[in-house]
């Protein structure tokens, strides 16, 4: 016959398990910072599960930036001044004179003609 407790128990496994950090999903890329030409866009992510109890920390970055170029920018139209009228094509009986103007990235008429004599 036993006197006292025949079995002895001791608590074990009471220590919390390590929890490893986990990243959430990346957000969608932002719009390009400029409507045309070269700009930047970014996206981010946040920690979904924080490290605990000695678990591994998250590695990597939480924010990324990259270059973007949506489309080429249209250069602004710049007309130069009209040239002087040229000489009349005839000395009598009617003729014509012309003049021009140069431009950068412009649509439209860059020359003109008028009657003379």
């Amino acid at each position: 016959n036993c006197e006292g407790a025949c079995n002895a128990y001791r608590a074990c496994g009471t220590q919390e398990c390590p929890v490893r950090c986990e990243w959430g999903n990346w957000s969608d890329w932002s719009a390009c910072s400029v409507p045309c030409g070269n700009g930047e866009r970014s996206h981010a992510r946040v920690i979904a599960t924080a490290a605990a109890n000695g678990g591994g920390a998250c590695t990597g970055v939480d924010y990324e930036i990259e270059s973007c170029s949506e489309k080429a920018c249209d250069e602004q139209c710049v007309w130069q001044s009209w040239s002087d009228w040229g000489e009349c094509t005839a000395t009598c009986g009617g003729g014509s004179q012309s003049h021009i103007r140069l431009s950068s990235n412009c649509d439209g008429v860059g020359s003109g003609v008028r009657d003379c004599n």
Side-chain angles (χ1 to χ4, degrees), residues 13-19 52-53:
T14 58
Q15 187 175 13
E16 295 288 326
C17 293
V19 177
N53 307 318

Side-chain angles (χ1 to χ4, degrees), residues 6 11 19 23 25 34 42 49 57 60 75 88 101 105-106:
C6 292
V19 177
W23 286 111
N25 293 329
V34 293
S42 63
T49 305
E75 291 186 31
C88 191
R101 63 180 174 169
N105 300 309
C106 298

Side-chain angles (χ1 to χ4, degrees), residues 1-8:
N1 272 346
C2 292
E3 286 190 23
C6 292
N7 295 321

Side-chain angles (χ1 to χ4, degrees), residues 35-115:
C36 64
N38 296 321
E40 293 180 334
R41 65 183 190 161
S42 63
H43 69 164
R45 61 183 177 173
V46 296
I47 292 174
T49 305
N53 307 318
C58 284
T59 58
V61 297
D62 63 347
Y63 191 79
E64 291 181 327
I65 298 173
E66 71 176 13
S67 297
C68 57
S69 180
E70 295 297 312
K71 63 179 181 175
C73 292
D74 295 330
E75 291 186 31
Q76 188 173 8
C77 168
V78 178
W79 285 105
Q80 293 182 8
S81 297
W82 284 101
S83 67
D84 292 334
W85 286 102
E87 293 196 25
C88 191
T89 58
T91 57
C92 62
S96 63
Q97 291 177 294
S98 63
H99 68 166
I100 62 168
R101 63 180 174 169
L102 302 176
S103 71
S104 297
N105 300 309
C106 298
D107 293 327
V109 179
S111 63
V113 177
R114 69 180 181 186
D115 293 334

